[in-house]
Amino acid sequence: MTAADTAFEMGHVRRIGVVIVAAGQGLRAAGADTVPKQFRSIGRRTVLERAVACFAALPEASIVVVASASELARVRRLLDAFSNLRIVAGGTTRQQSVRAGLEALGDDPPAVVLVHDAARPFVAFDTIRRVVAAIEPDVAVLPAVSVSDTLKRAGPDGVVEATVDRSRLYGAQTPQGFDYAAIREAHARAARAGLHDFTDDTAVFEWSGGRTKLVEGSADNIKLTFPADFVRAEAMLARSHSMIDVRTGNGYDVHRLVEGTHVTLCGVAIPHTRTLSGHSDADVGLHALTDALLATCGEGDIGVHFPPSDERWRGAASHIFVRHAVELVRRNGGTVCNVDITLIAEAPKILPHREAMCAALSEMTGLDRRRVSVKATTNETIGFVGRGEGIAAIATASVSYDAASNE
Ligand code: MG
């Protein structure tokens, strides 16, 4: 299940509100320093940024982050890059903070709402999907994991009194999911009753007469509480970063042949009785390669970066386009592994120029000669290429992206 699938499934069923509670002081995790845990970093990003990012891909989700009043400016700076997000001040207890977040969603109420602890930065889309799918007007949803350790109940002297049957015990996680109007009303009632110390929202919902259903949580959805939890979080991040991230892009281009004196293919001018017609030098090989490179980092295609309507590119040498694509790949954290171009032409003959083409490609991409390849084929006199009306090219590029590029 990808983010996009989940987003489609959820976003088009019900509008989702998300309340992320980041108002706690979290001093148990602080260890030697006293930075609240949501502001501590795991890798290059804070716990809070990671928690928000788990929900930011939901389409049309309204996200409210609840921070303590004294931290509002810091949280605004930290979450500056996220759109569709509001930051409001919390109260003195967790329950009051959640209520502030729920009320903030009230001007454009969502159908359902997820309440999530900022200290859980590793919630997976699958968990979010399961929670949203199970919400009913009078049924709250709680992601939970079964307890694997044998449980003992001990007295104040540390002496065991009983072994507890764990078969029906679960560890509660977040996000907890609710019908928006129902949980908002439950919180309002609890506040009116003078109750302010519920530690989770399904407890508020149950107190108010609702029921809670469990769905499968995830062992990776840890709540960062103690210093050792941060050690585990760094290890989890390192594990996800060890994933090999090699991406392959392809590109295709064709240009028409007209009267002329030469064609330019893969950066090499070859004398010919025809020329390729186009806005730039019409080098089909380099145009296809530019598209292949751009495809590996979601940067669109050559027309986006170098529109034919732009006079600057009239007659331009196409190595400019390739160099720009290589630079975009680099800026996105990529290293080009290899590039491969197949030219499809009846004439001129490509083979005598292949080494010059590879040298040109090597120079413009910065790649070792063994990592660039040019091949050629005719079209067996079939079709527009076979009739000599044009020349086509297909290109493939493989690019290795470092883990930090996904941050
Ligand atoms: Mg072209």
Side-chain angles (χ1 to χ4, degrees):
M1 176 72 58
T2 66
D5 291 338
T6 307
F8 182 82
E9 191 178 302
M10 303 198 310
H12 292 267
V13 176
R14 312 185 245 197
R15 280 197 47 243
I16 301 170
V18 181
V19 174
I20 298 177
V21 196
Q25 291 305 304
L27 296 179
R28 278 181 298 178
D33 60 62
T34 52
V35 179
K37 57 192 175 183
Q38 61 271 29
F39 301 124
R40 289 185 58 178
S41 290
I42 306 169
R44 301 198 312 188
R45 299 168 83 191
T46 60
V47 172
L48 177 58
E49 287 171 274
R50 290 182 184 282
V52 170
C54 295
F55 296 89
L58 297 174
E60 296 174 43
S62 305
I63 302 176
V64 173
V65 174
V66 189
S68 69
S70 61
E71 300 283 10
L72 285 177
R74 170 166 26 181
V75 171
R76 274 199 195 97
R77 271 197 312 278
L78 206 54
L79 301 179
D80 187 42
F82 293 99
S83 57
N84 239 350
L85 178 142
R86 274 180 294 165
I87 297 156
V88 301
T92 50
T93 67
R94 183 187 182 283
Q95 184 191 329
Q96 289 169 336
S97 293
V98 171
R99 185 162 183 232
L102 291 171
E103 293 298 321
L105 288 167
D107 47 8
D108 184 17
V112 299
V113 65
L114 303 171
V115 182
H116 187 66
D117 288 332
R120 292 187 192 269
F122 296 121
V123 59
F125 261 103
D126 261 7
T127 302
I128 296 172
R129 180 183 59 80
R130 279 194 290 275
V131 170
V132 170
I135 297 170
E136 295 175 47
D138 57 346
V139 179
V141 182
L142 173 71
V145 287
S146 48
V147 178
S148 56
D149 292 330
T150 295
L151 296 177
K152 301 285 187 183
R153 190 172 62 239
D157 52 0
V159 176
V160 170
E161 296 170 349
T163 299
V164 179
D165 176 13
R166 70 181 180 210
S167 62
R168 295 169 64 193
L169 294 179
Y170 295 87
Q173 300 185 335
T174 69
Q176 300 181 354
F178 307 89
D179 176 271
Y180 172 72
I183 188 64
R184 188 183 181 190
E185 174 56 23
H187 265 274
R189 282 182 59 194
R192 281 199 300 273
L195 301 171
H196 298 289
D197 291 316
F198 285 104
T199 54
D200 86 340
D201 303 287
T202 53
V204 175
F205 195 71
E206 290 154 24
W207 170 84
S208 182
R211 289 178 301 134
T212 299
K213 183 179 167 190
L214 301 184
V215 296
E216 188 189 345
S218 161
D220 284 345
N221 185 15
I222 57 172
K223 182 174 187 178
L224 303 177
T225 308
F226 301 106
D229 297 332
F230 282 82
V231 176
R232 183 176 166 203
E234 291 285 356
M236 285 170 64
L237 196 65
R239 195 178 67 206
S240 70
H241 280 184
S242 66
M243 182 184 80
I244 295 168
D245 188 5
V246 175
R247 307 179 198 168
T248 304
N250 71 57
Y252 170 79
D253 196 27
V254 61
H255 279 260
R256 189 183 291 277
L257 283 164
V258 295
E259 286 298 314
T261 58
H262 70 281
V263 291
T264 301
L265 292 170
C266 295
V268 176
I270 304 171
H272 193 39
T273 55
R274 319 268 285 157
T275 193
L276 287 166
S277 141
H279 186 63
S280 64
D281 65 4
D283 187 330
V284 286
L286 298 190
H287 293 186
L289 177 59
T290 301
D291 274 354
L293 289 164
L294 295 173
T296 66
C297 51
E299 291 281 1
D301 63 20
I302 189 169
V304 173
H305 297 275
F306 303 99
S309 55
D310 191 328
E311 277 305 310
R312 276 180 299 168
W313 315 122
R314 181 172 294 285
S318 294
H319 66 83
I320 293 170
F321 310 147
V322 173
R323 288 179 203 278
H324 182 73
V326 169
E327 173 59 19
L328 284 175
V329 162
R330 194 192 60 75
R331 270 192 242 157
N332 278 284
T335 304
V336 182
C337 302
N338 75 302
V339 299
D340 178 26
I341 297 172
T342 298
L343 298 169
I344 309 158
E346 292 299 316
K349 289 208 177 306
I350 305 299
L351 191 59
H353 306 283
R354 183 152 72 178
E355 273 312 308
M357 291 177 179
C358 286
L361 283 173
S362 181
E363 198 275 323
M364 70 185 81
T365 58
L367 287 174
D368 181 277
R369 165 66 187 83
R370 288 162 297 182
R371 291 175 184 268
V372 300
S373 161
V374 175
K375 309 188 300 302
T377 180
T378 70
N379 217 38
E380 297 284 340
T381 74
I382 301 163
F384 70 87
V385 170
R387 292 190 296 270
E389 294 168 12
I391 291 177
I394 295 169
T396 307
S398 293
V399 181
S400 171
Y401 285 85
D402 46 75
S405 68
N406 294 315
E407 290 283 288

